[in-house]
């Protein structure tokens, strides 16, 4: 079954190596059934023939997370983002892995800031920064929280909640 999916992908990939449709089907067939061993083997075969398939690396990152391998997941998400710089979801996943799995908070925040510099409307990045800012405020780290709320105001200047949070943060100092 998996060999058929790989063969279908290879044929489709020859015409357009960035076509995700066959790969999405492969994800459904294997990953959603929790057959990550088969999924990883199938992806390895695909990547042997199409090593620049950014979406293969992207989905493999999720598989690595599920396998409890955050460093490997981080590498896959970084590679996906490098191969397709417009893939903001891969860049967000890099930040989230840094923040939540590897506890490299400053690197995660820096990654989120860069995302918002490039794409201020990225809701996932904004939501992640809000969570970190609120946590910083709860920890009494008001100056750091204020800096993060200022980043949010720059990205979304019309949002009154960010302005209110910044004001409350300064009030607590």
């Amino acid at each position: 079954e998996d060999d058929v999916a790989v063969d279908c992908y290879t044929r489709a990939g020859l015409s357009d190596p960035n076509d995700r449709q066959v790969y999405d089907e492969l994800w459904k067939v294997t990953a959603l059934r929790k057959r990550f061993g088969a999924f990883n083997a199938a992806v390895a075969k695909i990547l042997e023939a199409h090593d620049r398939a950014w979406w293969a690396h992207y989905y493999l990152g999720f598989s690595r997370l599920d396998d409890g391998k955050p460093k490997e997941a981080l590498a896959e998400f970084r590679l996906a983002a490098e191969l397709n710089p417009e893939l903001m979801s891969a860049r967000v996943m890099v930040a989230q892995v840094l923040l939540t799995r590897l506890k490299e908070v400053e690197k995660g925040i820096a990654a989120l800031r860069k995302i918002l510099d490039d794409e201020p409307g990225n809701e996932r990045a904004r939501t992640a920064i809000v969570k970190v800012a609120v946590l910083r405020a709860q920890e009494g780290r008001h100056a750091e929280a204020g800096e993060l709320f200022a980043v949010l105001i720059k990205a979304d200047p019309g949002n009154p909640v960010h302005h209110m949070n910044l004001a409350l943060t300064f009030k607590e100092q």
Side-chain angles (χ1 to χ4, degrees):
E1 175 182 344
D2 294 326
D3 288 334
V4 172
V6 172
D7 187 49
C8 290
Y9 168 74
T10 300
R11 277 192 245 129
L14 293 175
S15 62
D16 180 3
N18 290 319
D19 184 345
R20 289 178 45 169
Q21 184 176 0
V22 175
Y23 193 80
D24 286 342
E25 291 305 312
L26 177 62
W27 175 259
K28 290 175 191 173
V29 168
T30 58
L32 294 180
R33 286 196 219 155
K34 299 292 185 187
R35 293 178 55 222
F36 286 107
F39 175 78
N40 291 337
V43 170
K45 288 181 184 180
I46 289 170
L47 289 173
E48 284 176 17
H50 309 282
D51 65 338
R52 299 196 55 81
W54 58 265
W55 39 264
H57 293 286
Y58 180 70
Y59 283 115
L60 192 54
F62 288 106
S63 180
R64 296 292 186 240
L65 280 178
D66 194 69
D67 289 342
K69 299 176 180 176
K71 288 183 181 179
E72 291 179 23
L74 179 64
E76 295 296 340
F77 291 129
R78 281 186 169 150
L79 186 52
E82 177 185 317
L83 292 171
N84 183 358
E86 295 178 16
L87 184 63
M88 288 295 170
S89 58
R91 293 173 60 190
V92 170
M93 287 308 301
V94 166
Q96 288 182 340
V97 170
L98 287 168
L99 286 167
T100 63
R101 300 294 179 97
L102 298 177
K103 306 301 183 200
E104 295 181 24
V105 177
E106 297 310 316
K107 288 181 182 179
I109 291 171
L112 291 170
R113 285 179 182 223
K114 177 72 173 123
I115 291 166
L116 289 180
D117 285 345
D118 295 342
E119 187 181 287
N122 190 299
E123 193 60 37
R124 289 178 61 201
R126 289 194 318 217
T127 299
I129 285 187
V130 166
K131 289 178 182 178
V132 175
V134 168
L135 182 62
R136 295 279 199 237
Q138 290 172 343
E139 294 171 343
R141 297 164 69 176
H142 301 292
E144 293 174 46
E147 288 177 23
L148 293 174
F149 286 125
V151 167
L152 291 165
I153 290 169
K154 180 182 173 189
D156 188 12
N159 188 327
V161 174
H162 301 321
H163 292 275
M164 181 188 69
N165 284 330
L166 181 60
L168 290 173
T169 300
F170 282 127
K171 181 182 175 199
E172 294 296 321
Q173 283 186 342

